[in-house]
């Protein structure tokens, strides 16, 4: 069946230097999965934190399922991420010692399971963001000039 992309967090690539990525499962209810199949999820303002030996995702918005009635959960509730204990300890250690932030970068179906790609990230300063934008613009101009020249 493969991988079907549900949501992507482009803001994370703009605001952070992405260092390392992990794949995590997510604990959901049935109506939340149905809503995700319809693509009604937003991870733009969400973040991941450590609490009591587990990782949780905060601020992930999954719109209520229309036909779900009483079984619908709160759209912005805290959800537990499913990771191996050694992965949790490694990520938490890096968060504590080296000041990393953990952000979700994408959400997708892998076969029938919902997965979240999380990334260890360091925050960008304003001048870093400007520098990245200038490099992208220069690359775009260069490729445009090459296309024009090859015609």
């Amino acid at each position: 069946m493969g991988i079907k992309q549900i949501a992507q967090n482009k803001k994370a690539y703009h605001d952070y230097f992405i260092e390392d990525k992990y794949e995590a499962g997510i604990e959901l209810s049935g109506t939340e999965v149905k809503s995700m199949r319809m693509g009604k999820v937003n991870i733009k303002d969400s973040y991941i934190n450590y609490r009591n030996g587990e990782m949780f995702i905060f601020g992930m918005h999954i719109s209520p399922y229309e036909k779900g009635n009483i079984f619908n959960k709160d759209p912005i509730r805290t959800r537990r991420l499913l990771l191996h204990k050694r992965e949790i300890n490694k990520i938490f250690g890096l968060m504590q010692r080296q000041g990393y932030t953990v952000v979700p970068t994408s959400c997708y179906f892998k076969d029938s399971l919902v997965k979240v790609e999380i990334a260890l990230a360091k925050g960008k300063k304003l001048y870093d963001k400007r520098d990245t934008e200038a490099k992208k613009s220069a690359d775009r101009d260069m490729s445009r000039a090459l296309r024009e020249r090859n015609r």
Side-chain angles (χ1 to χ4, degrees):
M1 194 169 169
I3 294 175
K4 181 186 174 219
Q5 189 80 27
I6 304 169
Q8 198 164 15
N9 188 358
K10 294 179 183 175
K11 186 178 177 186
Y13 291 97
H14 182 264
D15 292 341
Y16 300 99
F17 291 114
I18 304 298
E19 301 285 329
D20 200 8
K21 293 182 181 179
Y22 295 92
E23 181 180 74
I26 186 166
E27 190 175 69
L28 298 170
S29 70
T31 56
E32 289 176 324
V33 175
K34 289 179 181 182
S35 187
M36 287 182 105
R37 286 203 187 281
M38 296 170 63
K40 297 190 174 180
V41 62
N42 184 2
I43 58 173
K44 193 182 295 184
D45 296 324
S46 55
Y47 63 96
I48 292 155
N49 214 338
Y50 178 87
R51 194 168 41 178
N52 300 332
E54 296 177 327
M55 300 294 267
F56 291 91
I57 187 165
F58 296 87
M60 180 180 187
H61 186 278
I62 300 175
S63 297
Y65 184 57
E66 292 120 27
K67 300 174 183 122
N69 58 42
I70 61 167
F71 299 108
N72 280 333
K73 303 277 190 207
D74 179 31
I76 318 173
R77 74 184 180 93
T78 303
R79 295 167 181 90
R80 185 166 65 117
L81 293 178
L82 307 173
L83 289 159
H84 292 284
K85 189 55 101 178
R86 69 176 183 280
E87 288 179 322
I88 292 172
N89 291 336
K90 181 180 177 183
I91 293 168
F92 181 63
L94 289 169
M95 286 170 67
Q96 290 294 308
R97 278 181 266 127
Q98 297 177 3
Y100 281 102
T101 304
V102 183
V103 292
T105 54
S106 68
C107 189
Y108 54 91
F109 280 105
K110 188 173 185 179
D111 296 326
S112 62
L113 303 174
V114 177
K115 299 287 184 177
V116 178
E117 184 180 70
I118 62 175
L120 282 170
K122 288 237 184 204
K124 283 186 182 178
K125 303 278 190 241
L126 184 60
Y127 57 84
D128 290 329
K129 292 178 190 177
R130 286 184 188 142
D131 189 42
T132 304
E133 198 62 39
K135 284 180 185 173
K136 281 184 186 177
S137 179
D139 288 343
R140 231 180 289 125
D141 291 343
M142 199 175 347
S143 67
R144 191 178 301 127
L146 283 172
R147 270 196 309 257
E148 290 296 320
R149 210 175 106 195
N150 291 336
R151 285 187 183 198

